[in-house]
Every structure is written in structure tokens, then in C-alpha cells.
Amino acid sequence: MTIRETAIIQCPPSSVWPFLTNAELIPRWNDKVTRLVPKSAGSFRLHYQFNVTFHLNGKEREFAAEVTEYDEPNRLIITQHSLAGEPMEASETITLTPARQGTKIERVIKFSSKQIPWWARVLVWFITRLGKPVGEPVLEKLGRMVESGIYATK
């Protein structure tokens, strides 16, 4: 099952990148992340590991995560696997591309779980393509934060 979203952020990729790689900022723009606990010392880099807790479908789910690609400020891939409950794996790829208006950001999340029935995969496909988001979409919130400069990082 794949979820894909894109947005344009009115800042260069170098201004967006810190928001994707700062453990303190990620829960501020991604409402699904309730906690992010580093397992590696220092900042995000290739093979950096952390535990992340998501609020999904009314439940807290904890995942072990690792940065498997780190190409600053162009592309970040994080792989995750559940630590409890039904076995689930995910790969999240975020790509930043310079655009005339600033930065095009694309986020692709690929889930794999043998316990996700085929009809649920079809339902998610229809909802992500035809449905309207409830609340502020994640990348729009990220864009608003980056553009405001309030959380500027060095």
C-alpha cells in the first residue's frame, strides 16, 4: 500500500531540510508522530536510528526506524518496522526538488503488512486519490512552518 503527497514550499530546499532531519521539529509538523526518541548519538545522518511513536487509527504504535538514504538537501529515506502488535514495515521517502516557486516536496510512504486485507488497500487507494483531507495536510503544515521562519534552525 502506497500513500503519496506533494506540495510546493516557498523556500529553497536548504531551508526545508532541517525540518525533516531535526528530531525535535518532526512532531511539530507531523501530527501522527507523538514521540521520537533517538537511539543514535548526534543528528540525522545515514544509518541514524530512532524509535518513533505514531498515533494511527486511534492507537499508539511504536516503530524502530533507521535512515537508509541521506542526500542533503535532496532525498531522505527512512525505513521502519513495528515493535509490537501486528507486524508492519514502512519505507518513507521524501524528495526535495528546486522549483521556480521554491521547493517541490514529495513524500511517499510504502506500507507492507500481510495482515492488511486487499479490500483495505483498495479503499486507501481511493481515499488518497479522490478523498478530501480532514484537517491540515502534513506537507501544508510543514510548508507553513518553514515559510514562517519561526522555527528557523542552523
Side-chain angles (χ1 to χ4, degrees):
M1 181 168 57
T2 301
I3 297 174
R4 181 182 312 268
E5 53 187 327
T6 62
I8 298 292
I9 298 176
Q10 306 293 323
C11 292
S14 60
S15 295
V16 179
W17 188 258
F19 287 83
L20 305 175
T21 59
N22 181 318
E24 293 178 15
L25 293 179
I26 292 171
R28 293 184 184 178
W29 61 264
N30 188 340
D31 294 333
K32 299 285 186 202
V33 175
T34 58
R35 187 171 51 251
L36 198 148
V37 180
K39 290 169 52 179
S40 298
S43 57
F44 269 45
R45 64 190 177 287
L46 187 61
H47 303 300
Y48 182 85
Q49 296 180 347
F50 56 96
N51 285 355
V52 59
T53 304
F54 292 97
H55 186 78
L56 303 168
N57 301 323
K59 299 177 185 173
E60 296 281 313
R61 297 280 316 260
E62 189 174 11
F63 289 77
E66 181 176 353
V67 175
T68 54
E69 185 174 327
Y70 188 93
D71 179 17
E72 182 177 354
N74 305 303
R75 186 174 162 100
L76 178 68
I77 298 177
I78 299 171
T79 57
Q80 307 163 20
H81 67 273
S82 58
L83 293 175
E86 84 177 60
M88 182 180 288
E89 293 182 1
S91 175
E92 180 175 1
T93 302
I94 301 175
T95 305
L96 303 178
T97 307
R100 184 175 32 189
Q101 309 92 336
T103 299
K104 177 183 176 187
I105 183 169
E106 179 180 41
R107 181 175 181 231
V108 178
I109 305 171
K110 294 181 181 181
F111 295 97
S112 63
S113 171
K114 292 182 169 71
Q115 296 184 2
I116 300 175
W118 69 268
W119 59 266
R121 295 170 196 256
V122 172
L123 179 63
V124 168
W125 184 87
F126 275 105
I127 289 171
T128 58
R129 281 157 186 79
L130 305 173
K132 292 198 180 253
V134 176
E136 185 176 27
V138 171
L139 294 184
E140 286 185 22
K141 184 172 183 179
L142 171 62
R144 186 173 45 78
M145 289 178 65
V146 174
E147 292 166 3
S148 75
I150 293 173
Y151 299 99
T153 60
K154 292 283 179 186

